Amino acid sequence: MKEKIDSLKGDQMSIKKHHVKSKLAVVYQLIHTPGVADYIPETELLNKSSLQRMIQKYEKVYLKPDRGRKSKGVIRVERLKGNRFKIRYGSLQKYADKKDIWKKTDRLTKGKRYIVQQAIESVTKDRRHFDLRCHLVRIQGQWKVGGICGRLGEPGSIVTTYHSGGTPTPLNTLLTRHLNYSGRKKENMIRRLKECAIQAVHHVSKMYPNLKEFAVDMGIDPKRRIWIYEVNIEPLIRANFKKLPDKTVYRKIKKVRKIAR
């Protein structure tokens, strides 16, 4: 925990000056919140030294635009044997060694403000990447979960969003068919996901008191540990819940939106 907090202290001033939609600003809020901080992958502002630290500490890291949406511009860096690295960017795949990894990634980020984040192994039994989108709405001052859906990435893809070829998937289908959860374990996981998302949004909403809905993107690792990738402050439901075969959850969210306050 202390290590995570220390890694972000150097960026505190720049966060205060930066746009309020900054991913790093939200991470900074959550990393200082007891009960939530342990759900947050280690995250830093991307620069040459932070990239070098993170790729030595973790086998895989993600580079994400600080204010990006729909997984656009996401890069994955994977450490291989002999201090070699594989860089994935969309369908592009490059290799680099330690001395030129920064030059190659900096060229891909094109000088834009990025974060570097510990990669979480959130994959199905057939090794497809997945995450979960949890939509929350404030009703009479209390944060309520409007719905949760899974998102399955295409085989071999590093991203899961619909705009990048991912498939919105009913939560029950994801947990039972793709993760082999039994009835009791499935219900327990759903409860934990909701509690985690509500707790995170309760604190993030203090930064945006006028907003009445958020979406939390989450992962589950092989040890069934829950992780929060990011909290979205302008959540859309068309490319997630509306794409589900059954529109029940989509209609529910649309309904509760009308009474949000």
Side-chain angles (χ1 to χ4, degrees), residues 70-163:
K70 303 175 183 177
S71 297
K72 292 181 179 178
V74 172
I75 302 164
R76 189 178 77 181
V77 181
E78 178 180 356
R79 175 160 40 88
L80 307 174
K81 293 181 179 179
N83 263 336
R84 294 278 294 168
F85 299 91
K86 180 166 67 175
I87 304 168
R88 289 280 307 277
Y89 180 78
S91 59
L92 181 68
Q93 186 167 293
K94 294 185 175 184
Y95 292 86
D97 55 29
K98 188 175 181 180
K99 68 178 182 348
D100 63 3
I101 183 70
W102 170 250
K103 181 171 66 176
K104 291 193 175 182
T105 53
D106 189 46
R107 196 173 295 159
L108 291 174
T109 61
K110 300 176 182 177
K112 295 180 180 178
R113 181 182 169 99
Y114 265 65
I115 61 171
V116 52
Q117 188 174 75
Q118 167 193 358
I120 303 302
E121 191 75 352
S122 186
V123 294
T124 64
K125 62 184 181 182
D126 57 354
R127 305 302 296 172
R128 289 175 67 180
H129 285 87
F130 77 90
D131 67 2
L132 302 113
R133 166 60 64 96
C134 183
H135 195 102
L136 295 96
V137 179
R138 187 173 60 203
I139 301 174
Q140 296 181 342
Q142 299 295 317
W143 288 103
K144 306 289 185 182
V145 174
I148 307 176
C149 72
R151 300 188 297 193
L152 282 173
E154 288 187 313
S157 176
I158 64 171
V159 294
T160 61
T161 54
Y162 175 78
H163 301 90

XYZ file of all heavy atoms in Angstrom, residues 70-163:
775
model
N -12.926 4.348 -24.863
C -13.183 3.238 -25.779
C -11.923 2.432 -26.097
O -11.798 1.855 -27.166
C -13.808 3.752 -27.078
C -15.096 4.521 -26.879
C -15.604 5.099 -28.191
C -16.856 5.934 -27.982
N -17.321 6.571 -29.240
N -10.958 2.422 -25.173
C -9.710 1.660 -25.315
C -8.838 2.146 -26.477
O -7.932 1.430 -26.915
C -9.997 0.156 -25.483
O -10.638 -0.354 -24.340
N -9.101 3.337 -26.972
C -8.280 3.859 -28.062
C -6.891 4.219 -27.538
O -6.748 4.854 -26.496
C -8.939 5.099 -28.671
C -10.230 4.792 -29.409
C -10.834 6.057 -30.010
C -12.112 5.743 -30.778
N -12.748 6.969 -31.332
N -5.870 3.794 -28.275
C -4.506 4.143 -27.914
C -3.875 3.267 -26.854
O -2.765 3.545 -26.397
N -4.541 2.176 -26.454
C -3.995 1.309 -25.403
C -2.843 0.470 -25.961
O -2.929 -0.096 -27.056
C -5.090 0.386 -24.834
C -4.485 -0.649 -23.881
C -6.145 1.210 -24.107
N -1.768 0.393 -25.180
C -0.565 -0.352 -25.560
C -0.238 -1.341 -24.436
O -0.356 -0.995 -23.256
C 0.635 0.610 -25.749
C 0.319 1.666 -26.808
C 1.914 -0.161 -26.109
C 1.269 2.856 -26.772
N 0.164 -2.557 -24.799
C 0.626 -3.502 -23.782
C 2.092 -3.812 -24.006
O 2.516 -4.049 -25.146
C -0.177 -4.798 -23.823
C 0.139 -5.708 -22.613
C -0.680 -6.971 -22.614
N -0.162 -7.944 -23.584
C -0.719 -9.144 -23.798
N -1.799 -9.493 -23.122
N -0.205 -9.964 -24.683
N 2.845 -3.806 -22.928
C 4.263 -4.152 -22.973
C 4.477 -5.402 -22.128
O 4.111 -5.429 -20.952
C 5.152 -3.002 -22.452
C 6.627 -3.396 -22.526
C 4.904 -1.721 -23.249
N 5.055 -6.423 -22.731
C 5.279 -7.699 -22.048
C 6.771 -8.000 -22.000
O 7.460 -7.939 -23.014
C 4.545 -8.813 -22.785
C 4.747 -10.189 -22.174
C 4.007 -11.276 -22.941
O 3.282 -10.934 -23.906
O 4.167 -12.463 -22.584
N 7.260 -8.330 -20.790
C 8.675 -8.663 -20.631
C 8.916 -10.110 -21.033
O 8.232 -11.027 -20.571
C 9.098 -8.423 -19.189
C 10.518 -8.836 -18.874
C 11.053 -8.163 -17.605
N 10.067 -8.075 -16.548
C 9.854 -9.020 -15.633
N 10.548 -10.153 -15.673
N 8.954 -8.852 -14.681
N 9.905 -10.324 -21.887
C 10.284 -11.652 -22.338
C 11.617 -12.045 -21.712
O 12.166 -11.309 -20.888
C 10.384 -11.671 -23.872
C 9.163 -11.157 -24.641
C 9.469 -11.095 -26.132
C 7.949 -12.045 -24.378
N 12.154 -13.165 -22.095
C 13.454 -13.580 -21.574
C 14.562 -12.696 -22.140
O 14.446 -12.150 -23.240
C 13.725 -15.038 -21.942
C 12.800 -16.035 -21.248
C 13.129 -17.462 -21.646
C 12.219 -18.457 -20.933
N 12.517 -19.868 -21.334
N 15.636 -12.575 -21.368
C 16.807 -11.842 -21.839
C 16.595 -10.346 -21.980
O 17.194 -9.694 -22.842
N 15.724 -9.772 -21.112
C 15.448 -8.341 -21.149
C 14.954 -7.865 -22.514
O 15.256 -6.766 -22.962
C 16.671 -7.525 -20.734
C 16.614 -7.134 -19.261
O 15.530 -7.069 -18.678
N 17.765 -6.877 -18.674
N 14.190 -8.727 -23.161
C 13.507 -8.343 -24.395
C 12.039 -8.070 -24.062
O 11.501 -8.599 -23.087
C 13.605 -9.461 -25.431
C 15.007 -9.722 -25.935
C 15.397 -8.748 -27.032
N 14.597 -8.942 -28.243
C 14.568 -8.097 -29.252
N 15.256 -6.979 -29.194
N 13.826 -8.354 -30.325
N 11.409 -7.235 -24.870
C 10.033 -6.845 -24.610
C 9.204 -6.903 -25.884
O 9.694 -6.582 -26.967
C 9.989 -5.414 -24.035
C 10.724 -5.281 -22.740
C 12.066 -4.933 -22.721
C 10.092 -5.538 -21.533
C 12.760 -4.822 -21.528
C 10.768 -5.433 -20.328
C 12.113 -5.076 -20.331
N 7.943 -7.330 -25.712
C 6.996 -7.332 -26.828
C 6.010 -6.198 -26.624
O 5.414 -6.061 -25.550
C 6.271 -8.675 -26.921
C 5.269 -8.744 -28.067
C 4.820 -10.169 -28.354
C 4.005 -10.754 -27.236
N 3.466 -12.092 -27.576
N 5.812 -5.396 -27.649
C 4.908 -4.252 -27.594
C 3.713 -4.529 -28.485
O 3.869 -4.784 -29.684
C 5.629 -2.968 -28.061
C 6.889 -2.719 -27.230
C 4.683 -1.766 -27.976
C 7.799 -1.647 -27.822
N 2.505 -4.492 -27.895
C 1.268 -4.703 -28.654
C 0.492 -3.396 -28.721
O 0.220 -2.755 -27.701
C 0.403 -5.761 -27.968
C 0.939 -7.176 -28.063
C 0.633 -7.827 -29.392
N -0.785 -7.781 -29.730
C -1.700 -8.643 -29.287
N -1.344 -9.636 -28.478
N -2.958 -8.541 -29.662
N 0.099 -3.009 -29.918
C -0.679 -1.790 -30.126
C -1.666 -2.065 -31.255
O -1.299 -2.059 -32.430
C 0.247 -0.625 -30.487
C -0.454 0.698 -30.715
C -0.877 1.466 -29.642
C -0.681 1.182 -32.007
C -1.513 2.686 -29.838
C -1.313 2.388 -32.208
C -1.727 3.130 -31.130
O -2.367 4.342 -31.327
N -2.933 -2.372 -30.888
C -3.892 -2.798 -31.899
C -3.401 -4.083 -32.556
O -3.035 -5.052 -31.896
N -3.339 -4.093 -33.870
C -2.832 -5.263 -34.594
C -1.317 -5.201 -34.774
O -0.696 -6.142 -35.277
C -3.498 -5.365 -35.972
O -3.248 -4.189 -36.730
N -0.711 -4.104 -34.330
C 0.733 -3.919 -34.464
C 1.478 -4.653 -33.352
O 1.058 -4.649 -32.192
C 1.074 -2.424 -34.414
C 2.534 -2.014 -34.557
C 3.033 -2.302 -35.967
C 2.694 -0.529 -34.248
N 2.571 -5.300 -33.698
C 3.392 -6.000 -32.718
C 4.855 -5.708 -33.003
O 5.336 -5.902 -34.116
C 3.117 -7.493 -32.779
C 3.805 -8.321 -31.700
C 3.240 -9.724 -31.628
O 2.089 -9.948 -31.253
N 4.053 -10.706 -32.007
N 5.566 -5.196 -31.980
C 6.977 -4.865 -32.122
C 7.762 -5.494 -30.981
O 7.199 -5.885 -29.956
C 7.188 -3.346 -32.091
C 6.594 -2.593 -33.265
C 6.976 -1.117 -33.183
C 6.510 -0.360 -34.413
N 6.966 1.061 -34.391
N 9.071 -5.564 -31.178
C 9.961 -6.065 -30.136
C 11.038 -5.029 -29.848
O 11.422 -4.257 -30.736
C 10.594 -7.395 -30.560
C 9.588 -8.517 -30.650
C 8.860 -8.724 -31.825
C 9.353 -9.350 -29.555
C 7.913 -9.742 -31.908
C 8.407 -10.371 -29.639
C 7.691 -10.558 -30.806
O 6.756 -11.551 -30.878
N 11.480 -5.007 -28.605
C 12.498 -4.035 -28.214
C 13.330 -4.616 -27.083
O 12.902 -5.546 -26.387
C 11.841 -2.727 -27.764
N 14.535 -4.084 -26.911
C 15.314 -4.456 -25.733
C 15.239 -3.305 -24.733
O 14.612 -2.275 -24.989
C 16.763 -4.807 -26.089
C 17.463 -3.700 -26.849
O 17.104 -2.519 -26.659
O 18.365 -4.004 -27.649
N 15.875 -3.471 -23.588
C 15.708 -2.516 -22.500
C 16.154 -1.120 -22.872
O 15.534 -0.125 -22.480
C 16.484 -3.004 -21.268
C 16.224 -2.186 -20.024
C 16.930 -2.791 -18.820
C 16.650 -1.967 -17.569
N 17.327 -2.548 -16.370
N 17.196 -1.004 -23.675
C 17.733 0.314 -23.968
C 16.889 1.119 -24.954
O 16.944 2.354 -24.965
C 19.178 0.218 -24.462
C 19.377 -0.418 -25.818
C 20.838 -0.399 -26.201
C 21.198 -0.960 -27.542
N 20.237 -1.714 -28.282
N 16.092 0.436 -25.767
C 15.286 1.194 -26.729
C 13.777 1.051 -26.527
O 12.985 1.501 -27.359
C 15.650 0.824 -28.168
C 15.366 -0.625 -28.511
O 14.834 -1.342 -27.643
O 15.678 -1.028 -29.647
N 13.350 0.464 -25.376
C 11.924 0.303 -25.114
C 11.225 1.655 -24.992
O 10.118 1.852 -25.496
C 11.695 -0.554 -23.841
C 10.203 -0.790 -23.598
C 12.314 0.080 -22.617
C 9.541 -1.690 -24.572
N 11.883 2.629 -24.356
C 11.254 3.939 -24.200
C 11.092 4.634 -25.559
O 10.035 5.218 -25.835
C 12.053 4.821 -23.252
C 11.573 6.246 -23.251
C 12.200 7.344 -23.740
C 10.304 6.715 -22.751
N 11.432 8.464 -23.587
C 10.256 8.107 -22.984
C 9.211 6.099 -22.146
C 9.154 8.899 -22.615
C 8.112 6.874 -21.775
C 8.097 8.246 -22.020
N 12.110 4.571 -26.376
C 12.051 5.241 -27.676
C 10.893 4.700 -28.509
O 10.161 5.468 -29.153
C 13.381 5.056 -28.419
C 13.432 5.732 -29.775
C 14.841 5.702 -30.359
C 15.283 4.287 -30.682
N 16.619 4.250 -31.340
N 10.699 3.378 -28.472
C 9.647 2.778 -29.293
C 8.245 3.056 -28.745
O 7.302 3.286 -29.503
C 9.876 1.273 -29.428
C 11.107 0.948 -30.265
C 11.160 -0.513 -30.670
C 12.330 -0.766 -31.614
N 12.390 -2.173 -32.084
N 8.095 3.040 -27.427
C 6.774 3.330 -26.865
C 6.458 4.820 -26.958
O 5.305 5.198 -27.217
C 6.678 2.873 -25.395
O 7.763 3.439 -24.639
C 6.736 1.358 -25.288
N 7.454 5.663 -26.766
C 7.248 7.110 -26.870
C 6.793 7.487 -28.283
O 5.976 8.393 -28.470
C 8.542 7.846 -26.512
C 8.341 9.347 -26.396
O 7.366 9.764 -25.746
O 9.146 10.100 -26.960
N 7.302 6.772 -29.256
C 6.904 7.019 -30.638
C 5.425 6.676 -30.839
O 4.707 7.353 -31.578
C 7.779 6.172 -31.572
C 7.744 6.585 -33.031
C 8.765 5.783 -33.806
N 10.124 6.087 -33.370
C 11.170 5.289 -33.552
N 11.006 4.117 -34.156
N 12.361 5.644 -33.137
N 4.947 5.638 -30.148
C 3.546 5.232 -30.275
C 2.601 6.177 -29.524
O 1.475 6.417 -29.971
C 3.360 3.806 -29.743
C 3.986 2.679 -30.565
C 3.846 1.352 -29.838
C 3.342 2.589 -31.948
N 3.047 6.684 -28.396
C 2.182 7.586 -27.621
C 2.151 8.995 -28.204
O 1.296 9.798 -27.842
C 2.637 7.670 -26.158
O 3.971 8.197 -26.086
C 2.613 6.290 -25.496
N 3.087 9.309 -29.090
C 3.110 10.581 -29.821
C 3.085 11.804 -28.913
O 2.441 12.813 -29.190
C 1.923 10.632 -30.800
C 1.940 9.514 -31.826
C 0.712 9.527 -32.702
C 0.730 8.366 -33.696
N -0.489 8.300 -34.527
N 3.780 11.677 -27.785
C 3.914 12.814 -26.889
C 2.683 13.136 -26.060
O 2.664 14.137 -25.340
N 1.643 12.300 -26.128
C 0.430 12.549 -25.349
C 0.627 12.079 -23.914
O 1.478 11.242 -23.629
C -0.758 11.818 -25.977
C -1.136 12.335 -27.362
C -2.316 11.561 -27.919
C -2.685 12.071 -29.309
N -3.815 11.302 -29.905
N -0.175 12.628 -23.015
C -0.095 12.254 -21.608
C -0.692 10.860 -21.428
O -1.871 10.626 -21.710
C -0.832 13.276 -20.750
C -0.788 12.994 -19.240
C -1.595 14.058 -18.514
N -1.809 13.726 -17.130
C -1.114 14.202 -16.103
N -0.134 15.072 -16.335
N -1.381 13.867 -14.855
N 0.121 9.928 -20.936
C -0.280 8.541 -20.722
C -0.045 8.144 -19.273
O 0.743 8.781 -18.555
C 0.553 7.602 -21.601
C -0.072 7.217 -22.925
C -0.305 8.159 -23.916
C -0.417 5.890 -23.193
C -0.857 7.802 -25.139
C -0.980 5.519 -24.415
C -1.186 6.469 -25.380
O -1.742 6.098 -26.581
N -0.700 7.066 -18.857
C -0.383 6.415 -17.585
C 0.194 5.032 -17.905
O -0.032 4.492 -18.988
C -1.619 6.264 -16.676
C -2.695 5.388 -17.351
C -2.174 7.625 -16.292
C -3.854 5.019 -16.444
N 0.953 4.489 -16.968
C 1.436 3.115 -17.079
C 0.843 2.361 -15.898
O 0.908 2.815 -14.752
C 2.979 3.037 -17.096
C 3.606 3.781 -15.922
C 3.444 1.575 -17.107
N 0.221 1.209 -16.183
C -0.528 0.475 -15.161
C -0.153 -1.005 -15.154
O -0.007 -1.629 -16.212
C -2.031 0.624 -15.414
C -2.919 0.065 -14.325
C -4.386 0.383 -14.577
O -5.029 -0.213 -15.443
N -4.928 1.343 -13.821
N -0.004 -1.524 -13.964
C 0.207 -2.961 -13.767
C -0.874 -3.744 -14.511
O -2.061 -3.449 -14.392
C 0.123 -3.255 -12.269
C 0.009 -4.705 -11.870
C -0.374 -4.843 -10.399
O -0.511 -3.853 -9.673
N -0.555 -6.072 -9.950
N -0.486 -4.712 -15.316
C -1.453 -5.532 -16.041
C -1.999 -6.624 -15.128
O -1.252 -7.247 -14.375
C -0.816 -6.155 -17.274
N -3.304 -6.830 -15.204
C -3.969 -7.879 -14.425
C -4.366 -9.021 -15.352
O -4.923 -8.788 -16.422
C -5.228 -7.325 -13.722
C -4.848 -6.121 -12.830
C -5.910 -8.405 -12.911
C -3.819 -6.408 -11.774
N -4.085 -10.233 -14.952
C -4.421 -11.407 -15.759
C -5.890 -11.746 -15.532
O -6.243 -12.568 -14.671
C -3.517 -12.582 -15.374
C -3.600 -13.765 -16.311
C -2.874 -13.540 -17.636
O -2.432 -12.413 -17.915
O -2.747 -14.518 -18.388
N -6.758 -11.087 -16.287
C -8.201 -11.295 -16.188
C -8.639 -11.997 -17.474
O -8.975 -11.352 -18.469
C -8.922 -9.951 -16.018
O -10.295 -10.129 -15.794
N -8.592 -13.333 -17.450
C -8.846 -14.107 -18.664
C -9.814 -15.245 -18.366
O -9.895 -15.750 -17.243
C -7.543 -14.681 -19.262
C -6.634 -13.565 -19.755
C -6.813 -15.562 -18.249
N -10.538 -15.678 -19.400
C -11.472 -16.787 -19.280
C -10.706 -18.110 -19.327
O -9.480 -18.138 -19.516
C -12.489 -16.754 -20.426
O -11.797 -16.954 -21.662
C -13.226 -15.427 -20.455
N -11.436 -19.206 -19.202
C -10.794 -20.519 -19.226
C -10.156 -20.827 -20.587
O -9.243 -21.643 -20.666
C -11.799 -21.605 -18.854
C -12.979 -21.725 -19.800
C -13.979 -22.753 -19.310
C -15.155 -22.892 -20.258
N -16.166 -23.855 -19.762
N -10.628 -20.154 -21.649
C -9.990 -20.338 -22.957
C -9.065 -19.177 -23.312
O -8.776 -18.922 -24.470
C -11.040 -20.560 -24.053
C -12.050 -19.426 -24.141
O -12.003 -18.523 -23.273
O -12.889 -19.437 -25.067
N -8.616 -18.432 -22.271
C -7.569 -17.414 -22.376
C -7.998 -16.159 -23.136
O -7.172 -15.438 -23.676
C -6.294 -17.990 -23.019
C -5.739 -19.217 -22.352
C -5.409 -18.988 -20.899
N -4.348 -17.988 -20.722
C -3.975 -17.499 -19.535
N -4.596 -17.878 -18.437
N -3.012 -16.602 -19.460
N -9.290 -15.875 -23.160
C -9.739 -14.606 -23.732
C -9.766 -13.549 -22.637
O -10.226 -13.812 -21.516
C -11.136 -14.745 -24.343
C -11.165 -15.569 -25.608
C -12.593 -15.776 -26.107
N -13.215 -14.552 -26.562
C -14.466 -14.488 -27.044
N -15.201 -15.603 -27.123
N -14.968 -13.339 -27.446
N -9.259 -12.352 -22.942
C -9.310 -11.273 -21.965
C -10.761 -10.838 -21.756
O -11.556 -10.807 -22.697
C -8.471 -10.088 -22.437
C -7.000 -10.311 -22.301
N -6.248 -10.931 -23.286
C -6.131 -10.021 -21.301
C -4.983 -10.996 -22.888
N -4.887 -10.456 -21.684
N -11.085 -10.505 -20.509
C -12.423 -9.998 -20.220
C -12.339 -8.922 -19.145
O -11.353 -8.817 -18.414
C -13.354 -11.125 -19.743
C -13.123 -11.551 -18.304
C -13.801 -10.946 -17.263
C -12.211 -12.557 -18.002
C -13.587 -11.329 -15.939
C -11.973 -12.946 -16.690
C -12.677 -12.328 -15.657
N -13.359 -8.101 -19.077
C -13.547 -7.231 -17.935
C -15.033 -7.089 -17.679
O -15.862 -7.725 -18.347
C -12.848 -5.877 -18.106
C -13.454 -5.026 -19.207
O -14.450 -5.440 -19.833
O -12.932 -3.925 -19.445
N -15.383 -6.296 -16.671
C -16.783 -6.117 -16.311
C -17.091 -4.627 -16.244
O -16.281 -3.839 -15.752
C -17.081 -6.755 -14.948
C -16.754 -8.252 -14.865
C -15.598 -8.472 -13.899
C -17.956 -9.061 -14.455
N -18.238 -4.254 -16.768
C -18.705 -2.872 -16.701
C -19.869 -2.819 -15.698
O -20.896 -3.473 -15.897
C -19.148 -2.402 -18.083
C -19.959 -1.110 -18.119
C -19.226 0.095 -17.554
N -18.044 0.487 -18.278
C -18.034 1.447 -19.216
N -19.147 2.069 -19.547
N -16.884 1.771 -19.796
N -19.669 -2.054 -14.626
C -20.683 -1.900 -13.585
C -21.200 -0.464 -13.623
O -20.429 0.478 -13.419
C -20.088 -2.227 -12.216
S -21.280 -2.140 -10.857
N -22.481 -0.302 -13.901
C -23.087 1.025 -14.033
C -23.816 1.373 -12.732
O -24.648 0.603 -12.250
C -24.062 1.037 -15.201
C -24.449 2.406 -15.642
N -23.908 3.022 -16.761
C -25.316 3.310 -15.116
C -24.428 4.224 -16.893
N -25.298 4.422 -15.902
N -23.495 2.552 -12.188
C -24.090 2.972 -10.922
C -24.817 4.302 -11.083
O -24.380 5.176 -11.833
C -23.026 3.113 -9.830
C -22.328 1.802 -9.437
C -21.018 1.653 -10.177
C -22.105 1.730 -7.937
N -25.907 4.432 -10.351
C -26.744 5.632 -10.401
C -27.048 6.072 -8.967
O -27.248 5.234 -8.081
C -28.064 5.343 -11.150
C -28.942 6.586 -11.188
C -27.789 4.854 -12.565
N -27.062 7.391 -8.758
C -27.383 7.920 -7.427
C -28.892 8.168 -7.329
O -29.451 8.947 -8.100
C -26.621 9.217 -7.170
C -26.777 9.746 -5.744
C -25.871 10.925 -5.492
N -26.181 12.015 -6.406
C -25.322 12.978 -6.738
N -24.095 12.957 -6.247
N -25.674 13.943 -7.564
N -29.525 7.499 -6.377
C -30.959 7.627 -6.168
C -31.209 8.026 -4.720
O -30.812 7.310 -3.798
C -31.688 6.306 -6.492
C -31.437 5.900 -7.947
C -33.185 6.433 -6.223
C -31.996 4.537 -8.313
N -31.815 9.195 -4.547
C -32.092 9.736 -3.213
C -30.844 9.733 -2.333
O -30.869 9.363 -1.166
C -33.232 8.951 -2.543
C -34.557 9.078 -3.280
C -35.679 8.326 -2.602
O -35.441 7.437 -1.771
N -36.912 8.650 -2.932
N -29.728 10.129 -2.946
C -28.483 10.275 -2.204
C -27.689 8.994 -1.999
O -26.601 9.030 -1.418
N -28.206 7.862 -2.466
C -27.522 6.580 -2.289
C -27.109 6.020 -3.640
O -27.878 6.056 -4.602
C -28.444 5.579 -1.584
C -28.881 5.995 -0.197
C -27.723 6.072 0.787
O -26.865 5.192 0.806
N -27.705 7.106 1.608
N -25.889 5.462 -3.708
C -25.412 4.869 -4.949
C -25.944 3.453 -5.088
O -25.791 2.623 -4.188
C -23.880 4.882 -4.995
C -23.366 6.268 -5.199
C -22.813 7.102 -4.270
C -23.390 7.000 -6.428
N -22.498 8.305 -4.840
C -22.830 8.281 -6.163
C -23.820 6.716 -7.724
C -22.700 9.256 -7.139
C -23.695 7.685 -8.709
C -23.142 8.934 -8.414
N -26.597 3.185 -6.228
C -27.186 1.891 -6.504
C -26.603 1.323 -7.799
O -26.339 2.075 -8.747
C -28.704 2.001 -6.664
C -29.415 2.680 -5.488
C -29.419 1.801 -4.260
C -30.242 2.434 -3.142
N -30.229 1.598 -1.904
N -26.429 0.012 -7.861
C -25.950 -0.639 -9.077
C -27.129 -0.833 -10.023
O -28.087 -1.538 -9.707
C -25.291 -1.994 -8.763
C -24.925 -2.719 -10.062
C -24.040 -1.790 -7.904
N -27.046 -0.191 -11.188
C -28.094 -0.354 -12.188
C -27.948 -1.661 -12.950
O -28.925 -2.272 -13.362
N -26.691 -2.092 -13.142
C -26.454 -3.341 -13.846
C -24.974 -3.598 -14.039
O -24.153 -2.681 -13.972
N -24.639 -4.857 -14.258
C -23.266 -5.276 -14.540
C -23.289 -6.190 -15.755
O -24.155 -7.074 -15.865
C -22.628 -6.047 -13.361
C -22.725 -5.259 -12.050
C -21.163 -6.382 -13.675
C -22.185 -6.020 -10.842
N -22.373 -5.991 -16.665
C -22.229 -6.934 -17.779
C -20.751 -7.254 -17.969
O -19.870 -6.500 -17.543
C -22.832 -6.388 -19.070
S -21.911 -5.054 -19.860
N -20.487 -8.379 -18.584
C -19.127 -8.740 -18.932
C -18.803 -8.253 -20.332
O -19.694 -7.943 -21.125
N -17.511 -8.167 -20.641
C -17.062 -7.818 -21.984
C -15.921 -8.766 -22.345
O -14.896 -8.798 -21.668
C -16.613 -6.359 -22.051
C -17.721 -5.386 -21.685
C -17.344 -3.947 -21.931
N -16.230 -3.505 -21.117
C -15.877 -2.222 -20.963
N -16.559 -1.277 -21.583
N -14.849 -1.893 -20.210
N -16.137 -9.542 -23.393
C -15.147 -10.523 -23.839
C -14.362 -9.972 -25.021
O -14.949 -9.580 -26.032
C -15.832 -11.818 -24.261
C -16.310 -12.774 -23.173
C -17.107 -13.903 -23.801
C -15.129 -13.321 -22.386
N -13.046 -9.950 -24.893
C -12.217 -9.529 -26.008
C -12.169 -10.614 -27.078
O -12.390 -11.796 -26.793
N -11.875 -10.218 -28.288
C -11.678 -11.205 -29.347
C -10.481 -12.086 -28.998
O -9.556 -11.630 -28.309
C -11.411 -10.508 -30.682
C -12.622 -9.837 -31.297
C -12.324 -9.320 -32.687
O -11.274 -8.674 -32.868
O -13.132 -9.568 -33.596
N -10.458 -13.340 -29.448
C -9.287 -14.192 -29.185
C -8.003 -13.500 -29.641
O -7.910 -13.034 -30.775
C -9.582 -15.444 -30.012
C -11.069 -15.508 -30.079
C -11.522 -14.077 -30.167
N -7.043 -13.383 -28.729
C -5.773 -12.758 -29.052
C -5.733 -11.262 -28.864
O -4.657 -10.649 -28.918
N -6.883 -10.629 -28.614
C -6.921 -9.178 -28.458
C -6.551 -8.780 -27.035
O -6.808 -9.521 -26.082
C -8.318 -8.644 -28.792
O -8.396 -7.249 -28.548
N -5.976 -7.587 -26.879
C -5.602 -7.101 -25.547
C -6.662 -6.175 -24.965
O -6.542 -5.734 -23.822
C -4.236 -6.369 -25.579
C -4.317 -5.108 -26.452
C -3.132 -7.306 -26.033
C -3.072 -4.228 -26.362
N -7.718 -5.842 -25.734
C -8.781 -4.956 -25.249
C -10.130 -5.665 -25.384
O -10.275 -6.638 -26.118
C -8.805 -3.610 -26.013
C -7.539 -2.823 -25.731
C -8.967 -3.829 -27.513
N -11.133 -5.155 -24.667
C -12.412 -5.848 -24.570
C -13.601 -5.013 -25.044
O -14.707 -5.542 -25.120
C -12.683 -6.251 -23.109
O -12.747 -5.060 -22.310
C -11.589 -7.161 -22.588
N -13.415 -3.737 -25.330
C -14.546 -2.879 -25.646
C -15.191 -3.245 -26.977
O -14.539 -3.747 -27.892
C -14.117 -1.405 -25.689
O -13.017 -1.260 -26.591
C -13.706 -0.915 -24.321
N -16.466 -2.945 -27.075
C -17.237 -3.251 -28.279
C -16.642 -2.557 -29.498
O -16.587 -3.127 -30.588
C -18.690 -2.807 -28.069
C -19.564 -2.965 -29.290
C -20.064 -4.221 -29.647
C -19.890 -1.867 -30.091
C -20.873 -4.378 -30.770
C -20.687 -2.016 -31.212
C -21.177 -3.260 -31.547
O -21.961 -3.413 -32.661
N -16.172 -1.317 -29.320
C -15.613 -0.552 -30.433
C -14.320 -1.175 -30.967
O -13.886 -0.854 -32.065
C -15.342 0.894 -29.997
C -16.574 1.597 -29.518
N -16.965 1.571 -28.197
C -17.505 2.328 -30.183
C -18.086 2.270 -28.068
N -18.440 2.741 -29.237
